[in-house]
Protein backbone atom coordinates (compact mmCIF):
# COMPACT_ATOMS: atom_id res chain seq x y z
CA UNK A 1 0.00 0.00 0.00
CA UNK A 2 1.57 3.18 1.32
CA UNK A 3 5.17 1.93 1.12
CA UNK A 4 4.69 0.86 -2.51
CA UNK A 5 3.21 4.30 -3.41
CA UNK A 6 6.13 6.03 -1.69
CA UNK A 7 8.67 3.90 -3.57
CA UNK A 8 6.85 4.59 -6.83
CA UNK A 9 6.90 8.38 -6.19
CA UNK A 10 10.59 8.24 -5.25
CA UNK A 11 11.40 6.31 -8.45
CA UNK A 12 9.37 8.78 -10.56
CA UNK A 13 11.24 11.70 -8.94
CA UNK A 14 14.62 10.08 -9.60
CA UNK A 15 13.68 9.42 -13.24
CA UNK A 16 12.46 13.01 -13.60
CA UNK A 17 15.75 14.32 -12.14
CA UNK A 18 17.72 12.03 -14.46
CA UNK A 19 15.80 13.33 -17.51
CA UNK A 20 16.32 16.92 -16.33
CA UNK A 21 20.08 16.35 -15.96
CA UNK A 22 20.30 14.77 -19.43
CA UNK A 23 18.41 17.71 -20.90
CA UNK A 24 20.58 20.28 -19.13
CA UNK A 25 23.79 18.48 -20.12
CA UNK A 26 22.71 18.41 -23.77
CA UNK A 27 22.14 22.20 -23.78
CA UNK A 28 24.27 24.34 -26.08
CA UNK A 29 24.54 27.03 -23.40
CA UNK A 30 26.55 26.84 -20.23
CA UNK A 31 24.27 26.41 -17.22
CA UNK A 32 25.80 27.31 -13.88
CA UNK A 33 24.01 26.96 -10.53
CA UNK A 34 25.49 28.68 -7.46
CA UNK A 35 24.57 29.11 -3.83
CA UNK A 36 24.16 32.55 -2.24
CA UNK A 37 27.97 32.94 -1.90
CA UNK A 38 28.62 32.23 -5.58
CA UNK A 39 29.89 28.68 -4.91
CA UNK A 40 29.05 26.18 -7.66
CA UNK A 41 26.46 23.57 -6.74
CA UNK A 42 25.99 22.38 -10.34
CA UNK A 43 27.41 23.13 -13.77
CA UNK A 44 26.42 21.35 -16.96
CA UNK A 45 28.81 19.66 -19.40
CA UNK A 46 28.84 22.68 -21.75
CA UNK A 47 29.91 24.99 -18.90
CA UNK A 48 32.78 22.66 -17.97
CA UNK A 49 33.79 22.44 -21.67
CA UNK A 50 33.74 26.23 -22.07
CA UNK A 51 36.22 26.61 -19.21
CA UNK A 52 38.31 23.56 -20.15
CA UNK A 53 37.44 21.42 -17.11
CA UNK A 54 36.07 17.91 -16.74
CA UNK A 55 32.40 17.52 -15.85
CA UNK A 56 31.96 18.01 -12.10
CA UNK A 57 35.28 19.82 -11.57
CA UNK A 58 33.58 23.20 -11.07
CA UNK A 59 31.49 21.95 -8.13
CA UNK A 60 32.40 23.47 -4.77
CA UNK A 61 34.39 26.29 -6.39
CA UNK A 62 33.33 29.94 -6.49
CA UNK A 63 32.61 31.72 -9.78
CA UNK A 64 35.41 34.16 -8.77
CA UNK A 65 37.98 31.37 -9.29
CA UNK A 66 37.15 31.42 -13.00
CA UNK A 67 36.58 35.07 -13.87
CA UNK A 68 39.37 37.40 -14.90
CA UNK A 69 40.48 39.50 -11.88
CA UNK A 70 39.27 42.72 -13.59
CA UNK A 71 35.80 41.13 -14.02
CA UNK A 72 35.35 40.22 -10.33
CA UNK A 73 33.48 43.42 -9.31
CA UNK A 74 31.10 42.83 -12.24
CA UNK A 75 30.54 39.20 -11.15
CA UNK A 76 29.90 40.48 -7.60
CA UNK A 77 27.26 42.89 -8.96
CA UNK A 78 25.58 40.03 -10.85
CA UNK A 79 25.28 37.97 -7.68
CA UNK A 80 23.99 40.98 -5.73
CA UNK A 81 21.32 41.59 -8.41
CA UNK A 82 20.35 37.92 -8.19
CA UNK A 83 20.10 38.11 -4.38
CA UNK A 84 17.77 41.11 -4.85
CA UNK A 85 15.76 38.99 -7.34
CA UNK A 86 16.62 41.28 -10.26
CA UNK A 87 17.47 39.27 -13.39
CA UNK A 88 20.62 40.72 -14.94
CA UNK A 89 22.83 40.22 -17.99
CA UNK A 90 26.49 41.19 -18.23
CA UNK A 91 29.47 40.41 -20.44
CA UNK A 92 32.31 38.90 -18.38
CA UNK A 93 35.81 37.74 -19.19
CA UNK A 94 36.65 34.30 -17.82
CA UNK A 95 39.96 32.45 -17.63
CA UNK A 96 39.95 28.99 -19.20
CA UNK A 97 42.04 26.28 -17.57
CA UNK A 98 44.33 26.11 -20.64
CA UNK A 99 44.99 29.86 -20.76
CA UNK A 100 43.01 31.65 -23.49
CA UNK A 101 40.27 34.02 -22.43
CA UNK A 102 36.58 33.31 -22.69
CA UNK A 103 34.26 36.26 -23.22
CA UNK A 104 30.72 35.32 -22.26
CA UNK A 105 27.30 36.83 -21.82
CA UNK A 106 26.07 35.85 -18.36
CA UNK A 107 22.32 36.04 -17.69
CA UNK A 108 21.38 35.41 -14.06
CA UNK A 109 18.17 34.63 -12.21
CA UNK A 110 17.52 34.03 -8.52
CA UNK A 111 16.74 30.57 -7.19
CA UNK A 112 14.07 30.96 -4.54
CA UNK A 113 13.69 28.61 -1.56
CA UNK A 114 10.45 27.28 -0.03
CA UNK A 115 10.17 30.36 2.20
CA UNK A 116 10.31 32.64 -0.87
CA UNK A 117 13.81 33.92 -0.07
CA UNK A 118 16.64 33.76 -2.67
CA UNK A 119 18.99 30.86 -1.92
CA UNK A 120 21.22 31.02 -4.99
CA UNK A 121 21.63 31.90 -8.64
CA UNK A 122 21.20 30.11 -11.93
CA UNK A 123 23.22 31.57 -14.79
CA UNK A 124 23.03 30.98 -18.55
CA UNK A 125 26.43 31.43 -20.16
CA UNK A 126 26.88 32.13 -23.90
CA UNK A 127 30.33 32.17 -25.50
CA UNK A 128 30.81 35.49 -27.33
CA UNK A 129 34.62 35.33 -27.63
CA UNK A 130 34.65 35.31 -31.46
CA UNK A 131 32.16 38.17 -31.68
CA UNK A 132 34.17 40.15 -29.12
CA UNK A 133 37.42 39.62 -31.05
CA UNK A 134 35.77 40.57 -34.36
CA UNK A 135 34.36 43.75 -32.77
CA UNK A 136 37.79 44.61 -31.35
CA UNK A 137 39.41 44.07 -34.77
CA UNK A 138 36.82 46.34 -36.42
CA UNK A 139 37.35 48.97 -33.74
CA UNK A 140 41.16 48.88 -34.18
CA UNK A 141 40.79 49.06 -37.95
CA UNK A 142 38.47 52.09 -37.69
CA UNK A 143 40.93 53.75 -35.28
CA UNK A 144 43.82 53.21 -37.73
CA UNK A 145 41.80 54.63 -40.62
CA UNK A 146 40.87 57.68 -38.54
CA UNK A 147 44.52 58.19 -37.51
CA UNK A 148 45.72 57.84 -41.13
CA UNK A 149 43.14 60.40 -42.28
CA UNK A 150 44.27 62.83 -39.56
CA UNK A 151 47.92 62.22 -40.53
CA UNK A 152 47.07 62.89 -44.17
CA UNK A 153 45.32 66.18 -43.25
CA UNK A 154 48.20 67.25 -40.98
CA UNK A 155 50.84 66.56 -43.66
CA UNK A 156 48.81 68.48 -46.27
CA UNK A 157 48.49 71.42 -43.87
CA UNK A 158 52.19 71.44 -42.96
CA UNK A 159 54.14 74.48 -44.15
CA UNK A 160 57.69 73.14 -43.97
CA UNK A 161 59.54 69.79 -43.99
CA UNK A 162 60.00 70.13 -40.22
CA UNK A 163 56.21 70.55 -39.80
CA UNK A 164 55.64 67.45 -41.97
CA UNK A 165 58.03 65.48 -39.73
CA UNK A 166 56.40 66.74 -36.52
CA UNK A 167 52.90 65.97 -37.82
CA UNK A 168 53.93 62.48 -38.94
CA UNK A 169 55.63 61.68 -35.62
CA UNK A 170 52.75 62.90 -33.45
CA UNK A 171 50.21 60.80 -35.40
CA UNK A 172 52.38 57.71 -35.81
CA UNK A 173 53.01 57.54 -32.07
CA UNK A 174 49.39 56.49 -31.50
CA UNK A 175 49.42 53.90 -34.31
CA UNK A 176 52.78 52.18 -34.02
CA UNK A 177 53.82 50.66 -30.68
CA UNK A 178 57.46 51.73 -30.41
CA UNK A 179 59.82 53.59 -28.11
CA UNK A 180 61.66 55.57 -30.76
CA UNK A 181 60.59 56.80 -34.19
CA UNK A 182 62.35 58.74 -36.94
CA UNK A 183 60.91 60.37 -40.03
CA UNK A 184 63.06 60.60 -43.15
CA UNK A 185 61.94 63.13 -45.72
CA UNK A 186 62.99 62.67 -49.35
CA UNK A 187 63.11 65.45 -51.91
CA UNK A 188 62.69 63.50 -55.12
CA UNK A 189 63.48 66.56 -57.22
Amino acid sequence: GRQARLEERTRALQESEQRFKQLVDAAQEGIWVMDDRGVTTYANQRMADLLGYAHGELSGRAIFDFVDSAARPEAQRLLAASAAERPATRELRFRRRDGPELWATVATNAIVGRDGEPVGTVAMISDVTERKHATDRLHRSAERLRALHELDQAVLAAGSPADVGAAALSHLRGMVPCQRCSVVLYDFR
Side-chain angles (χ1 to χ4, degrees), residues 9-188:
R9 286 225 323 262
T10 305
R11 195 163 44 252
L13 264 173
Q14 285 169 340
E15 282 171 13
S16 171
E17 188 178 348
Q18 195 59 38
R19 274 198 305 277
F20 172 74
K21 279 202 162 134
Q22 285 169 348
L23 181 71
V24 168
D25 278 329
Q28 290 304 297
E29 303 293 299
I31 296 171
W32 203 337
V33 182
M34 292 160 267
D35 67 13
D36 56 352
R37 299 184 326 278
V39 174
T40 309
T41 55
Y42 176 78
N44 72 344
Q45 182 69 57
R46 174 70 174 149
M47 192 65 245
D49 291 346
L50 282 172
L51 292 171
Y53 288 85
H55 199 198
E57 275 190 302
L58 305 187
S59 286
R61 293 181 63 184
I63 185 173
F64 308 110
D65 291 351
F66 306 99
V67 296
D68 186 74
S69 55
R72 282 181 188 186
E74 203 62 29
Q76 198 83 56
R77 281 192 284 275
L78 268 176
L79 289 178
S82 180
E85 294 187 62
R86 290 193 314 270
T89 303
R90 298 271 194 294
E91 219 166 72
L92 293 183
R93 188 161 92 173
F94 291 87
R95 287 192 322 272
R96 294 183 209 258
R97 171 185 251 168
D98 53 0
E101 64 183 11
L102 163 73
W103 278 98
T105 300
V106 181
T108 57
N109 269 292
I111 299 169
V112 179
R114 283 214 177 104
D115 59 0
E117 290 298 307
V119 293
T121 299
V122 61
M124 295 287 287
I125 318 280
S126 306
D127 184 354
V128 295
T129 309
E130 264 318 298
R131 192 197 76 204
K132 184 83 178 160
H133 288 172
T135 305
D136 288 350
R137 284 194 297 273
L138 271 173
H139 184 69
R140 281 198 305 274
S141 186
E143 280 293 302
R144 277 197 299 274
L145 281 173
R146 187 188 55 71
L148 283 170
H149 176 69
E150 283 178 11
L151 170 59
D152 198 34
Q153 296 300 306
V155 167
L156 288 173
S160 69
D163 290 346
V164 169
L169 280 174
S170 73
H171 285 83
L172 282 172
R173 194 176 292 124
M175 292 167 60
V176 183
C178 66
Q179 295 302 311
R180 242 181 111 86
C181 189
S182 303
V183 174
V184 180
L185 299 172
Y186 290 95
D187 183 349
F188 288 110

